[in-house]
Amino acid sequence: MRLCLWPALAALALVLVDASTLTPPVLPLIVRNPYLSFWFAHSRDAPWENWPMFWTGSTVGFAIMAAVPESKTVYPLLGRSQDFLRQSSSYTVSFPQYNGATFDASTTNLTYAIPGSDVRITLSFLSPITPTSTLRQSLPAGYLTCIVEGSTDVSLYVDINGEWVSGNRDNKIEWELVRTEKSNSAKTPIKTWSITRRHEQLLTEFYDHAEWGTIHISAPAEVEHQSGESNYIRRLFAEHGTLKNKVDNSYRGIFEDEPIFAFSKSFKLGEKSQNSRGVAKDSVIFTFALTQNPVVQFASARGLTMMRPLWASYFSSAHEMLQYHYDDYDTAIYLASDYSEQLAKDAYASGSQDYQDIAALSARQVLGATQFSGTPDNPIIFLKEISSNGNFQTVDVIFPAFPFFLYTNPQWLAYLLEPLLEHQLSGQYPNDYSMHDLGFHFPNATGHSDGLDEYMPVEECGDMLIMGLALVNALKDNTQPAFVRTAPQEAVPLNFESTKRSHLVNPYGMDLTWEDIGTTGEKAAAKWAKRSYKLWKQWTGYLVRESLIPANQLCTDDFAGWLANQTNLALKGIIGIKAMSEIANIVGDEAESRWYSNVADEYIEKWQEFGLSRDKTHAKLAYTWYGSWTTLYNIFADALLCFHLPPNTSNSLGSSRFWGLEQQPIGGGSKTKPKSTFIPDRIYQIQSDWYHAVLQRYGLPLDSRHLYTKSDWEFFAAAVTSKKVRTEILQHVATWVNETVTDRPLTDLYETEGEGGFPGPNFMARPVVGGHFAFLALERACGGKASAGLKFLDEAAPVEIDVDQALMADMAEEQAEMGEL
């Protein structure tokens, strides 16, 4: 069965994003992967005051204008096109009334009013998140819907330049206009500008821009088009409100008589409004895409392999994919709107309006670091460590991001871990601990056959084991995406040959469930865990030797430097050992399961002796660093992995800390066996109280060394605090989002005092903001029961602590006996 869509999907999308209230410094426009990632810079200002930017902050030519023939006035809407419009008797340059931006998880809307008229314009940028359609999520393309309403004729204009296809402005580019005719496979005839470098450099970057691939901007066949020198084309539209359907075939450099590629559309609102006796409405859809083949190279089990994009398994050419993507708009917006609406409800119930906005703002940024590859039956997701150093498939970048995937689609987490597992199972990595990354710089996953990747052994082993068990739990609990799974009646079918090749996708591009495939989540979990059991054991063996008292090494917060005896790092390793006991149980090795569980139990007792301050008010930064403290964000994994469920947990869900009996929990209520707690309640309690005491203007500092913080870890930590403390942390982070002076896509590393700026290094646009989904992942975990195990935190108000006195007392007392230490 397929559903019938609502008539006005564009209007529906606008309704869904009306409620966003935060004012971040930058907003996503078209964000699909590390190279198709374009943003509204300085988004607290009017959109015409700055050019849009690539995620690095480098500007790109992207201009949108409106022209009103009746008044001979042209209005810049996005980008600084006014700089190209000299004074003329043919037109007047003016600025519209800007009514601001709203956003949800997939959409950013910019709204305008034309002064002296009833014309209203909305630019709606859609980078759809489609959790139940991996195929659609893999398409490297986004939409711009321009919606106009009023009773006065108006024309719209859109252009891009060669900066979209190269980071080096000295490069030469070539282009063509491609048209499609209406057919069985082309519902809406389109015309497409396709721009590429004259001499591509395969799998290379220039200041993080891809130097290979083709940028495409598509529009309905009936709109006007023109390419040519930027001043001439923009002035031509300002004078006439239209273009001449001409192609400049003089290929040249990006800024050599700067060539631009434009479309324009005239809306006869005056005539329509007279016929309808009211305000007329109309719209036009443009699409933006970046096609690359290959997308990366990967040292797979069969050797170094050029990896094709996933979409290439479904479509015979880039232009076939572009046509499908254009025709699929109704389905894409339907699925994206469903995700955005459910996320908004869940996040609001879990936190507040602010949390709803923070989660929505983070979603596209996570997926903006991914490339979908593999085959229909074996999809793979590759990930770039954006901005920090460009590493490929960094384990401790996937780890903070993984709550997003657990909430959105746990199967995507499996696709994300697959390259790391395949590479190490093939024996190409020499160390007995988990590798840090698959390659020094994306898009080249050439591995580290010398074993000289960044040294974070306890971190990476703990990360992999925790993520492995979290995925296994999600699979066996059948925690499938809690979003619409049925394609609407208007969905465009794939060609028969492409769907015949896959048992994971139906003819309308929707993912099949375990039941559809003929298996169960529990069987899938056991199969997945068993395949890599050799690695799980190997990494756990390392943790048994090295995690209780970690040697001098880095943790994921490598910018803070090397440190021995890290309390938070040791906890991650110990939880990793505990996770292995559950993985062993899943694959049927009960003896090993008991042994790992006993080791973990012994270690967690010793950890409490070593890691807590003498007065037991907080965890220390390191065992031997008296008078220090740390945000103990790794305790989140204890609750997430169902090690902290309440005693005698029943199969019925009951009420959560964050929803009442009348509300449906995220993920439903599957069966979970009762378990005793691994980490005692009092550790959660003292940390919750401590965070209340050390909170700063813009959030919770990472530790006692600095006033900077990491937002991903703030949300990990806040997820396992009392409701009062969670709310406090959330409010402070929201204040930071509204006030920070950072001018890049949402950073995760910032100062909690002053102007909330970059502390250096300057992180931006990183996928680790998937950690902002920690609340949602926790509430879905353990069949919806994980949060119930933390209800004790709400039984009393936070204890007031004199922080200075507690730290001084810890330093003043004689050093306690450290046992093995």
Side-chain angles (χ1 to χ4, degrees):
M1 180 181 119
R2 286 186 291 135
L3 302 178
C4 183
L5 278 179
W6 298 4
L9 280 170
L12 171 63
L14 297 180
V15 169
L16 289 177
V17 299
D18 273 349
S20 51
T21 57
L22 294 186
T23 56
V26 174
L27 284 170
L29 296 176
I30 303 294
V31 178
R32 296 298 283 174
N33 60 48
Y35 305 122
L36 187 64
S37 184
F38 299 100
W39 302 72
F40 174 12
H42 305 285
S43 59
R44 297 172 190 142
D45 300 334
W48 57 82
E49 293 182 10
N50 300 279
W51 288 107
M53 70 181 189
F54 187 60
W55 65 258
T56 59
S58 62
T59 59
V60 293
F62 186 13
I64 303 178
M65 295 185 283
V68 178
E70 185 177 276
S71 63
K72 296 184 177 181
T73 305
V74 62
Y75 299 90
L77 301 179
L78 180 70
R80 294 189 59 85
S81 55
Q82 65 269 23
D83 296 344
F84 296 76
L85 303 178
R86 64 190 175 194
Q87 289 187 342
S88 170
S89 59
S90 302
Y91 60 84
T92 300
V93 178
S94 187
F95 296 102
Q97 174 185 316
Y98 177 52
N99 294 328
T102 54
F103 58 88
D104 67 11
S106 293
T107 309
T108 299
N109 289 335
L110 312 180
T111 56
Y112 311 81
I114 301 300
S117 76
D118 60 354
V119 174
R120 301 290 181 269
I121 299 173
T122 299
L123 305 180
S124 185
F125 295 88
L126 174 68
S127 297
I129 297 178
T130 57
T132 51
S133 178
T134 301
L135 164 64
R136 288 180 173 84
Q137 193 61 56
S138 77
L139 301 182
Y143 301 91
L144 164 62
T145 304
C146 303
I147 302 165
V148 297
E149 56 182 302
S151 56
T152 301
D153 291 354
V154 63
S155 298
L156 288 182
Y157 165 99
V158 177
D159 76 43
I160 65 171
N161 73 354
E163 289 174 297
W164 284 62
V165 81
S166 173
N168 186 346
R169 296 180 174 187
D170 294 331
N171 279 323
K172 308 288 185 182
I173 57 173
E174 298 182 354
W175 56 86
E176 64 176 339
L177 184 74
V178 179
R179 306 168 192 262
T180 62
E181 303 296 330
K182 189 167 185 177
S183 66
N184 291 336
S185 60
K187 184 171 67 174
T188 304
I190 60 174
K191 56 176 68 170
T192 300
W193 289 114
S194 297
I195 309 107
T196 189
R197 277 189 52 172
R198 176 174 294 172
H199 302 294
E200 295 180 73
Q201 292 180 292
L202 197 63
L203 301 174
T204 63
E205 295 181 348
F206 188 91
Y207 287 100
D208 287 292
H209 293 253
E211 294 303 311
W212 84 105
T214 303
I215 281 287
H216 311 269
I217 174 173
S218 301
E222 72 271 11
V223 306
E224 295 85 18
H225 68 268
Q226 193 158 351
S227 62
E229 192 272 330
S230 55
N231 286 282
Y232 173 74
I233 298 297
R234 288 166 181 158
R235 291 170 188 170
L236 177 72
F237 174 78
E239 289 178 5
H240 303 286
T242 188
L243 298 173
K244 294 185 176 181
N245 292 328
K246 293 183 177 180
V247 178
D248 175 355
N249 288 317
S250 177
Y251 304 144
R252 53 192 183 270
I254 291 173
F255 278 95
E256 182 183 342
D257 293 329
E258 182 190 4
I260 60 174
F261 312 94
F263 290 120
S264 69
K265 167 75 173 177
S266 298
F267 298 95
K268 304 299 182 182
L269 299 182
E271 182 180 332
K272 283 188 176 182
S273 64
Q274 289 178 0
N275 294 338
S276 62
R277 297 182 181 180
V279 173
K281 294 183 179 180
D282 207 344
S283 65
V284 62
I285 298 170
F286 301 99
T287 63
F288 302 81
L290 170 63
T291 57
Q292 298 170 301
N293 194 356
V295 286
V296 303
Q297 61 175 333
F298 166 46
S300 67
R302 63 180 179 271
L304 195 59
T305 306
M306 296 292 184
M307 299 297 294
R308 299 201 311 159
L310 182 58
W311 63 260
S313 296
Y314 292 92
F315 305 100
S316 61
S317 69
H319 284 281
E320 183 184 344
M321 182 273 289
L322 296 174
Q323 182 68 60
Y324 175 88
H325 176 259
Y326 195 95
D327 288 340
D328 193 55
Y329 173 77
D330 286 349
T331 302
I333 198 172
Y334 173 70
L335 297 176
S337 297
D338 175 75
Y339 176 75
S340 295
E341 184 176 17
Q342 188 62 50
L343 173 60
K345 290 177 181 176
D346 293 342
Y348 185 83
S350 177
S352 64
Q353 175 68 57
D354 288 339
Y355 184 52
Q356 175 183 324
D357 286 355
I358 290 170
L361 184 62
S362 305
R364 277 171 285 177
Q365 184 166 316
V366 178
L367 291 168
T370 63
Q371 284 276 24
F372 284 69
S373 186
T375 64
D377 277 347
N378 293 287
I380 290 175
I381 300 177
F382 294 116
L383 180 138
K384 178 177 179 177
E385 182 180 339
I386 283 185
S387 83
S388 34
N389 63 9
N391 282 173
F392 195 125
Q393 217 76 5
T394 310
V395 172
D396 63 288
V397 169
I398 296 173
F399 181 76
F402 92 104
F404 166 83
F405 293 97
L406 285 180
Y407 171 79
T408 302
N409 184 346
Q411 193 60 44
W412 287 357
L413 179 59
Y415 300 157
L416 198 55
L417 296 179
E418 175 57 29
L420 290 156
L421 296 173
E422 177 181 334
H423 179 83
Q424 290 173 91
L425 282 170
S426 69
Q428 297 180 67
Y429 184 65
N431 297 319
D432 63 347
Y433 49 80
S434 169
M435 67 194 316
H436 172 268
D437 60 76
L438 276 171
F440 282 120
H441 205 90
F442 197 91
N444 298 296
T446 50
H448 298 281
S449 58
D450 57 4
L452 297 180
D453 49 328
E454 191 171 7
Y455 186 67
M456 297 184 188
V458 172
E459 176 72 45
E460 313 305 9
C461 290
D463 289 347
M464 291 298 291
L465 285 157
I466 290 166
M467 289 190 290
L469 180 57
L471 176 58
V472 164
N473 285 346
L475 294 177
K476 70 183 180 65
D477 290 343
N478 205 31
T479 312
Q480 300 195 36
F483 313 105
V484 64
R485 304 199 65 92
T486 308
Q489 287 184 356
E490 290 81 356
V492 179
L494 296 164
N495 69 64
F496 176 73
E497 286 301 318
S498 63
T499 54
K500 188 172 69 173
R501 292 195 292 269
S502 174
H503 70 275
L504 299 180
V505 177
N506 76 11
Y508 293 91
M510 301 296 291
D511 295 346
L512 298 177
T513 66
W514 297 122
E515 291 75 16
D516 295 332
I517 297 169
T519 186
T520 65
E522 192 161 7
K523 290 179 181 178
K527 180 180 179 181
W528 186 85
K530 190 173 294 185
R531 172 175 172 262
S532 302
Y533 195 68
K534 169 189 171 184
L535 293 177
W536 307 129
K537 282 187 65 174
Q538 177 181 311
W539 296 334
T540 309
Y542 184 87
L543 292 178
V544 170
R545 297 194 309 272
E546 302 290 343
S547 68
L548 177 58
I549 305 174
N552 191 31
Q553 62 191 277
L554 295 170
C555 73
T556 182
D557 307 313
D558 52 359
F559 50 85
W562 290 60
L563 185 63
N565 305 325
Q566 295 180 59
T567 303
N568 190 44
L569 180 62
L571 182 62
K572 175 173 285 182
I574 296 167
I575 295 174
I577 298 169
K578 179 69 172 176
M580 181 60 194
S581 71
E582 293 297 312
I583 293 173
N585 189 52
I586 286 290
V587 302
D589 197 331
E590 295 182 7
E592 286 200 343
S593 175
R594 286 193 299 271
W595 189 81
Y596 290 123
S597 182
N598 290 337
V599 172
D601 289 342
E602 178 185 346
Y603 281 14
I604 201 64
E605 291 296 325
K606 292 181 178 179
W607 176 87
Q608 293 173 66
E609 297 174 23
F610 299 161
L612 300 183
S613 62
R614 291 190 179 98
D615 63 1
K616 309 303 181 189
T617 59
H618 63 278
K620 295 176 291 187
L621 175 59
Y623 295 163
T624 52
W625 194 331
Y626 295 95
S628 68
W629 62 267
T630 186
T631 295
L632 200 68
Y633 54 80
N634 284 325
I635 199 175
F636 170 74
D638 176 67
L640 182 75
L641 299 181
C642 315
F643 300 154
H644 205 90
L645 296 179
N648 303 315
T649 301
S650 64
N651 290 333
S652 62
L653 182 79
S655 60
S656 165
R657 298 167 65 215
F658 302 102
W659 59 68
L661 286 167
E662 75 283 358
Q663 290 178 287
Q664 178 66 28
I666 301 170
S670 60
K671 295 182 179 180
T672 304
K673 294 180 181 179
K675 300 174 184 176
S676 60
T677 60
F678 177 53
I679 298 177
D681 289 358
R682 64 185 179 87
I683 306 298
Y684 286 84
Q685 188 68 66
I686 64 172
Q687 287 302 116
S688 181
D689 293 343
W690 188 261
Y691 301 154
H692 169 73
V694 298
L695 198 60
Q696 303 296 307
R697 173 173 175 79
Y698 291 133
L700 176 66
L702 186 61
D703 57 53
S704 51
R705 289 173 290 187
H706 304 279
L707 284 175
Y708 59 52
T709 191
K710 290 281 272 80
S711 64
D712 45 359
W713 304 142
E714 287 182 278
F715 281 83
F716 271 53
V720 290
T721 61
S722 70
K723 283 195 276 189
K724 175 178 174 54
V725 174
R726 172 192 278 211
T727 300
E728 289 175 342
I729 294 173
L730 184 56
Q731 288 173 341
H732 287 243
V733 175
T735 300
W736 171 78
V737 172
N738 282 335
E739 297 180 2
T740 176
V741 295
T742 57
D743 56 356
R744 295 292 186 273
L746 204 60
T747 183
D748 54 287
L749 177 64
Y750 66 88
E751 296 284 3
T752 60
E753 288 292 332
E755 296 180 318
F758 295 117
N762 293 8
F763 291 171
M764 64 197 78
R766 297 196 334 142
V768 300
V769 298
H772 299 166
F773 282 67
F775 301 178
L776 300 167
L778 185 66
E779 286 153 20
R780 175 178 267 195
C782 317
K785 301 180 183 69
S787 292
L790 304 177
K791 282 186 175 181
F792 68 91
L793 291 167
D794 302 320
E795 293 173 358
V799 174
E800 295 300 328
I801 300 170
D802 185 324
V803 173
D804 289 338
Q805 182 177 337
L807 297 178
M808 291 297 293
D810 196 36
M811 289 187 288
E813 294 180 24
E814 292 182 3
Q815 185 170 345
E817 177 64 40
M818 294 298 294
E820 295 176 47
L821 211 58

